[in-house]
Amino acid sequence: MNISELHESIVRNAQLTFARSGGNGGQNVNKVNTKVHLMLPVDQVGGISEDERTRILIKLASIINANNCLFLDVDDERTQELNRKIAYARIENRIVTALAVPKKRKKTRPTRASKERKLKLKKIRSEIKKSRAKFW
């Protein structure tokens, strides 16, 4: 994966539309289109291999529509410029995290000392419960 090529392809191929945003801003909210809708076709994302592209389709299925486009809405800030920058950063971050391959888990066994501690604690707990028992 080439991060710089990925970033450039996102900026180049993302389609942005704007809408009126709720939240902070007073009367400005009713007049200015500050909310950003970002749509990015997965086919046009550059800097990744075909295997990585299929991994994106699997991992980010919740934000991909039937046309294989990534969708993202941002209305965090009061200005369109800041929301646009946040949208680009978020979509890039989601793609990069989706492509991260988790480390394989190595199977481990409990040590002898930990087994003994566990048994000791079980004995103590057992004695406590036995002492609560009512004798006739």
Side-chain angles (χ1 to χ4, degrees):
M1 172 178 52
N2 185 346
I3 298 284
S4 60
E5 191 176 332
L6 174 68
H7 179 73
E8 288 178 18
S9 72
I10 289 172
V11 173
R12 189 175 348 104
N13 298 318
Q15 298 168 358
L16 300 175
T17 55
F18 305 98
R20 292 194 176 121
S21 175
N24 297 334
Q27 293 177 354
N28 195 41
V29 171
N30 302 324
K31 297 186 291 186
V32 182
N33 293 331
T34 58
K35 184 176 188 176
V36 175
H37 299 287
L38 183 140
M39 185 177 76
L40 178 67
V42 177
D43 304 341
Q44 297 178 359
V45 175
I48 59 173
S49 67
E50 287 303 315
D51 292 338
E52 291 172 329
R53 197 174 310 281
T54 55
R55 194 176 307 141
I56 287 173
L57 290 172
I58 293 167
K59 293 259 185 154
L60 298 179
S62 63
I63 61 168
I64 294 178
N65 69 357
N67 299 330
N68 285 343
C69 291
L70 291 162
F71 273 94
L72 187 69
D73 289 341
V74 177
D75 61 351
D76 296 353
E77 299 295 329
R78 291 184 182 193
T79 63
Q80 192 181 97
E81 298 163 23
L82 283 177
N83 284 334
R84 185 182 301 143
K85 288 178 185 176
I86 291 170
Y88 286 140
R90 279 190 190 162
I91 201 74
E92 184 176 345
N93 186 25
R94 285 201 177 177
I95 290 171
V96 169
T97 54
L99 295 178
V101 179
K103 291 172 82 175
K104 284 267 189 179
R105 181 187 178 275
K106 290 183 180 178
K107 290 185 178 180
T108 59
R109 293 182 149 193
T111 62
R112 182 182 295 160
S114 67
K115 288 180 185 177
E116 289 173 1
R117 276 194 304 270
K118 180 180 168 187
L119 289 174
K120 184 179 176 185
L121 289 173
K122 287 178 84 169
K123 277 240 191 270
I124 293 170
R125 177 64 55 197
S126 171
E127 292 300 323
I128 291 171
K129 290 187 175 189
K130 279 182 188 174
S131 68
R132 289 189 206 144
K134 295 179 182 177
F135 293 104
W136 299 97

